[in-house]
Amino acid sequence: MSALEPRGPEVTQQPPGPVVSPALERPLAVDTGPDALGPEAGVLSRTYRALSIGIIAVVLLIAFEATAVGTAMPVAARELNGVEVYAFAFSSYFTTSLLGMVVAGQWADRDGPLRPLATGIAAFAVGLVLSGTATAMWLFILGRAVQGLGGGLVIVALYVVIGRAYPEHLRPKILAAFAASWIIPSIVGPLASGTVTEQLGWRWVFLGIPALVVFPLALALPAIRRMTSGPADPSAPRPPFDRRRIRLALAISVGAGLLQYSAQDLVWLSLIPAAAGAALLVPAVLGLLPKGTYRAARGLPSVVLLRGVAAGSFIAAESFIPLMLVTQRGLSPTMAGFSLAAGGLTWAAGSFLQSRPWMEPYREKLMAAGMVLCGLAIAAAPTVLIDAVPVWTLAVTWALGCFGMGMVIASTAVMLLKLSAPEEAGANSAALQISDGLSNIMLLAAGGAAFAALGGGAVGHHGAAAASSSGGSHPAAFAVVFIPMAVVAILGAWVTTRLKPSAPETV
């Protein structure tokens, strides 16, 4: 799952109530209303009903796209004679979404989340139409790139909406609702997409989704305009766009694309684009993520780091599960995909657990437990390479890993809120999503390169993969993917000990 997909875009932002950050020792917002409504006002109360239903509809749109498009993608690539560049249909989405995230962060801090959200949804729909009407693979990839730009705008803008519109005690609940909104798409999406692809053609999977844009736009945008329009502090000077950060975001996108390209072709000449990608990527990442992220500095940097560690390790491992089940245990692609369906339910359950008020004092411990579950699930996945191990055991262990991810991913968003001031909402949300998306790209590329080096097949995204034409993938190729990702996930359990900011010194 991706930054946009991963079982539910985790959305959060600045507290609009009279909250003071113990780390920053300054008000996070002015007492403008939502907190004053009291704890009895829920996410579906009269005050928030239209907004909640509208933004959940946006999440449903993204969820259906993520689950449906992955099913139709192999057929599209084959019909457009683009199987050899199949991976770029996915990497183009991720790389442009990184740029969209940074732009959205500045745009939302400057003008409020309404415009970047509306623009992002429109670009998302335009990208789907471009891909659905493509007559050549390069046009298809271009459509995916436009769609990724829109997705990056949407996810960050949603974070800002949540932070501005909802009081702190409701944010975990709306995050849980977002995760729950992925349940139906994760179960129905692949089956519906497969049926449409077989009966009507793959193009209708792409062309049908934009019709779903109308409802969230009609419901969410008026509520967003009413509750969160304009900058966080209307009396403050309107900040200009930080062109340096936008250039760094562009460097991240190009650098990540070059690294992914080099990982697809394991020859010596691949070192040239790899070196160029690293030269662009490293300084850009250091410039866009909070200072100290790479060394797990306490507080916000570790929250951002944990998001990348959790999402990247889990998604990179999950991408290889259907391929492993098809090539090593003989399952059909549909059955292999459904082996992960229960994860949508348990992911939502984990997110629901973290939303309970009585869990707040134990949030860091909850996140540590979630990372341990994630690491154990990844480590247990390759045991199905042993014929004596029933295939259903993977579905069970992966469901437990998804439960842990539900606790962790939503909690990183909740903690980001507590450590962010209103004027930093967009930038910090963008950093969180950059960490998520970049980690997905890098660990997928590393896992794919290791997999190919040990005789694996040609891998697509989210399990949309095909075994090599030489006769299937070697079991060791799967082990070399899962074991390192499990180690990364367990490392994330240590990062959870660094989430609380250092206590201020007393005189």
Side-chain angles (χ1 to χ4, degrees), residues 126 186 239 264 280 330 379 408 429:
V126 169
S186 66
Q264 299 297 314
L280 288 170
V408 173
S429 295

Side-chain angles (χ1 to χ4, degrees), residues 159-199:
Y159 268 73
V160 179
V161 169
I162 297 302
R164 297 239 193 129
Y166 293 86
E168 186 173 356
H169 72 275
L170 288 183
R171 292 185 194 124
K173 295 180 181 180
I174 193 67
L175 288 176
F178 281 8
S181 69
W182 277 73
I183 295 175
I184 294 177
S186 66
I187 297 173
V188 176
L191 180 61
S193 176
T195 302
V196 171
T197 300
E198 292 175 9
Q199 301 299 322

Side-chain angles (χ1 to χ4, degrees), residues 308-399:
V309 168
S313 61
F314 197 78
I315 299 309
E318 186 179 63
S319 298
F320 287 86
I321 287 179
L323 177 62
M324 180 173 64
L325 295 177
V326 170
T327 62
Q328 305 300 312
R329 297 303 297 265
L331 270 65
S332 68
T334 300
M335 290 304 298
F338 275 120
S339 69
L340 304 176
L345 294 169
T346 56
W347 190 299
S351 186
F352 175 80
L353 178 62
Q354 66 79 36
S355 73
R356 299 299 85 194
W358 49 268
M359 290 301 304
E360 186 59 37
Y362 310 103
R363 186 168 297 280
E364 289 81 7
K365 293 181 180 179
L366 195 73
M367 297 169 78
M371 290 309 304
V372 170
L373 285 176
C374 176
L376 292 177
I378 296 172
T383 60
V384 298
L385 294 169
I386 304 171
D387 290 337
V389 177
V391 173
W392 59 262
T393 59
L394 187 145
V396 173
T397 56
W398 206 250

Side-chain angles (χ1 to χ4, degrees), residues 138-152:
W138 72 268
L139 287 171
F140 184 87
I141 293 173
L142 175 63
R144 292 287 292 167
V146 174
Q147 189 183 342
L149 183 64

Side-chain angles (χ1 to χ4, degrees), residues 55 82-83 103 112 141 149 182 186 197 209 238 245 254 263 310 330 347 437 452 486:
I55 60 178
V83 174
V103 172
I141 293 173
L149 183 64
W182 277 73
S186 66
T197 300
I209 293 176
R238 194 175 184 221
R245 289 182 65 84
V254 175
W347 190 299

Side-chain angles (χ1 to χ4, degrees), residues 108-165:
D109 285 344
R110 187 172 182 264
D111 298 323
L114 179 63
R115 291 180 181 176
L117 181 62
T119 303
I121 293 176
F124 194 78
V126 169
L128 284 166
V129 172
L130 285 174
S131 292
T133 57
T135 56
M137 193 62 183
W138 72 268
L139 287 171
F140 184 87
I141 293 173
L142 175 63
R144 292 287 292 167
V146 174
Q147 189 183 342
L149 183 64
L153 291 169
V154 168
I155 188 63
V156 172
L158 282 176
Y159 268 73
V160 179
V161 169
I162 297 302
R164 297 239 193 129

Side-chain angles (χ1 to χ4, degrees), residues 320 323-324 327-328 378 381-386 446-457 459 471-485:
F320 287 86
L323 177 62
M324 180 173 64
T327 62
Q328 305 300 312
I378 296 172
T383 60
V384 298
L385 294 169
I386 304 171
F451 183 74
L454 288 185
V459 180
S473 305
H474 194 283
F478 291 100
V480 81
V481 172
F482 288 107
I483 300 306
M485 298 306 163

